[in-house]
Amino acid sequence: MKVLKHKAFARLILSYLVSQAGSKVHRVALLVLVYLLTENALWVSLVLGVQLLGTVVFSPLLSAWADTQDRKRLLVWSDLLRAPLVALIPLLGAKSLPVLLLLVFLMELLRDLHDPIQNAVVPDLVPKEEVDEANSLILLADRLSEVLFVGAAGVLVAAVGPAFAFYLDALTYLASGLLLTGLPPLRPERLPKAGYLERVKEGLGHLLRHPTIRRAVGTLFAAACFGSVETALGVVLAIKWLGVGSAGFGFMEAAMALGAILGGLALPYLLKRLPRERLFLYALFLFGLFEASMGLFPVYAWVLVAFFLGGFLNMAFIVPARSILQLNTPQEMRGRIFAAFSAVMNAAVLTGTMLGGALEGQIGAPMVFLLAGVMVSLAAGYVLLTGGIPAPRGEAA
């Protein structure tokens, strides 16, 4: 990909791939650890809910300060500080669920600082016409780490337990932070004149005032309120309903990642044929259909296929969504916009995660997947039928 000729962006991608290699292993280990300790889907939802709550409450607050700082320095330290925290999970968190929740929460705060900045700096490291390709490559690195490590993580956790996965993640955060020290300074082009609280309001306000962003984020919010049940119930579906254990869950996640990699590779060709705003809606609509199909046909072979296709479609709506935000936001506000976006989206994911955990005991995971997928498709279909999403000024609709 030609976007890698930009050395600073290539360094950003490499650091992200390194940290995600450990994080994907960590994710499987954390979900399996909690479920095996409690044998309760509601506890899985609670752990995920603590992560999401940190993002919803603190991400906009952190970003209003971060937008006045050198973004390179914040990227480095948010990685280096996560290394000791994740290493404490097998040492302390596995012995006490309250301590585990605290460690998960602290790590989420650092992620809430890091991830919006990473998204915000992409247009500073590549030309405008390469933003879609750059966003695609970031998500491709994420999915590649899932293919390479998540399936292996399921087998590893089943064989030797989750502790090694957490130590591996700690090492990758350390390596990622050191790699990021080679980035150029990433200071804001101009310092905002507004006070701190006004900057917090500006981030959330831009999501509501800008017609293109409002329509895109509103669609994703409605879809995520339901589609995110997979976050909590994927492991439950694998262990309780399909009987394939943690190894089977790891391969489900890897299938989704493989689909996402192919989706990332196909994205440039798709964007040549469809405007990013329309591709976003089509992909989200189809994603809902395949999520619903897992409830209709809760058979492991089909679930693997549905996860694979879901991964492909996930790339086809997430990459355009990121580009829509970046290309419709001033440089000095991007950190706040992505933090506000994360807060809004994680509020939706928190809703879906807790809803899924509560409903699983009442109607079972397959029925939850069916209902959730139908609602995702309805959200995307409604926007398609009511005018779609406006393109940025100067671009074809």
Side-chain angles (χ1 to χ4, degrees):
M1 290 185 173
K2 65 179 181 179
V3 72
L4 289 175
K5 69 183 180 182
H6 307 290
K7 293 182 180 180
F9 178 73
R11 182 176 287 272
L12 182 72
I13 282 290
L14 180 59
S15 71
Y16 184 68
L17 182 59
V18 169
S19 68
Q20 288 301 297
S23 294
K24 298 310 175 186
V25 177
H26 165 104
R27 179 176 182 271
V28 172
L30 181 62
L31 295 179
V32 171
L33 174 67
V34 173
Y35 189 66
L36 292 180
L37 285 175
T38 64
E39 295 185 351
N40 190 328
L42 197 55
W43 267 102
V44 176
S45 295
L46 182 60
V47 169
L48 294 171
V50 166
Q51 292 177 310
L52 299 173
L53 185 62
T55 300
V56 170
V57 175
F58 291 100
S59 189
L61 301 176
L62 289 170
S63 66
W65 167 75
D67 268 352
T68 65
Q69 307 298 311
D70 182 350
R71 289 166 174 166
K72 169 194 170 179
R73 185 169 63 247
L74 297 181
L75 285 172
V76 170
W77 281 105
S78 58
D79 267 353
L80 294 180
L81 291 174
R82 279 186 284 183
L85 289 176
V86 73
L88 289 175
I89 290 178
L91 296 175
L92 300 177
K95 300 175 183 178
S96 168
L97 285 173
V99 173
L100 176 62
L101 292 177
L102 176 61
L103 291 171
V104 168
F105 178 74
L106 292 175
M107 287 186 61
E108 189 64 18
L109 290 184
L110 291 170
R111 190 185 73 81
D112 292 337
L113 182 63
H114 184 280
D115 288 1
I117 296 173
Q118 178 179 269
N119 290 320
V121 302
V122 169
D124 297 327
L125 303 179
V126 303
K128 179 179 178 181
E129 61 272 15
E130 296 179 20
V131 165
D132 282 315
E133 183 181 351
N135 285 324
S136 177
L137 194 57
I138 289 174
L139 286 173
L140 197 61
D142 182 17
R143 304 312 187 189
L144 181 61
S145 68
E146 289 185 351
V147 169
L148 294 177
F149 297 104
V150 173
V155 176
L156 179 67
V157 171
V160 299
F164 178 79
F166 297 114
Y167 297 137
L168 174 63
D169 194 23
L171 290 175
T172 59
Y173 278 129
L174 179 62
S176 175
L178 294 176
L179 282 169
L180 289 170
T181 59
L183 290 177
L186 295 167
R187 299 182 181 92
E189 292 180 354
R190 58 180 182 179
L191 291 175
K193 297 179 180 179
Y196 173 75
L197 291 179
E198 286 300 314
R199 297 199 302 273
V200 174
K201 294 177 182 178
E202 282 179 354
L204 292 169
H206 191 68
L207 295 184
L208 298 175
R209 291 191 302 268
H210 196 287
T212 298
I213 293 179
R214 181 176 65 243
R215 196 97 162 138
V217 173
T219 305
L220 271 181
F221 177 84
C225 280
F226 301 99
S228 56
V229 298
E230 181 273 330
T231 306
L233 296 188
V235 66
V236 179
L237 184 68
I239 295 175
K240 180 178 178 180
W241 293 88
L242 300 177
V244 295
S246 61
F249 172 59
F251 286 116
M252 286 161 54
E253 294 283 287
M256 179 173 283
L258 179 59
I261 288 176
L262 295 181
L265 295 175
L267 197 62
Y269 302 97
L270 295 174
L271 286 168
K272 289 179 181 178
R273 290 160 176 78
L274 288 170
R276 69 172 65 90
E277 294 80 12
R278 191 160 290 273
L279 176 62
F280 163 75
L281 293 172
Y282 287 161
L284 191 60
F285 180 83
L286 292 173
F287 178 88
L289 294 183
F290 283 108
E291 184 169 66
S293 75
M294 289 187 283
L296 281 176
F297 309 106
V299 178
Y300 187 56
W302 175 250
V303 168
L304 287 176
V305 172
F307 264 65
F308 171 82
L309 294 173
F312 185 99
L313 293 165
N314 181 265
M315 287 290 282
F317 68 77
I318 288 295
V319 170
R322 289 191 178 187
S323 297
I324 288 169
L325 262 68
Q326 290 164 345
L327 296 176
N328 287 278
T329 303
Q331 187 266 358
E332 66 274 9
M333 287 185 64
R334 288 191 197 121
R336 277 170 286 167
I337 293 308
F338 273 98
F341 173 68
S342 295
V344 170
M345 292 310 303
N346 280 291
V349 174
L350 177 60
T351 300
T353 298
M354 301 308 292
L355 183 65
L359 289 178
E360 197 280 331
Q362 305 298 318
I363 61 177
M367 183 59 68
V368 176
F369 272 93
L370 173 60
L371 295 176
V374 169
M375 296 304 296
V376 171
S377 292
L378 286 176
Y382 171 79
V383 177
L384 276 167
L385 294 174
T386 56
I389 296 172
R393 293 178 181 177
E395 292 189 17

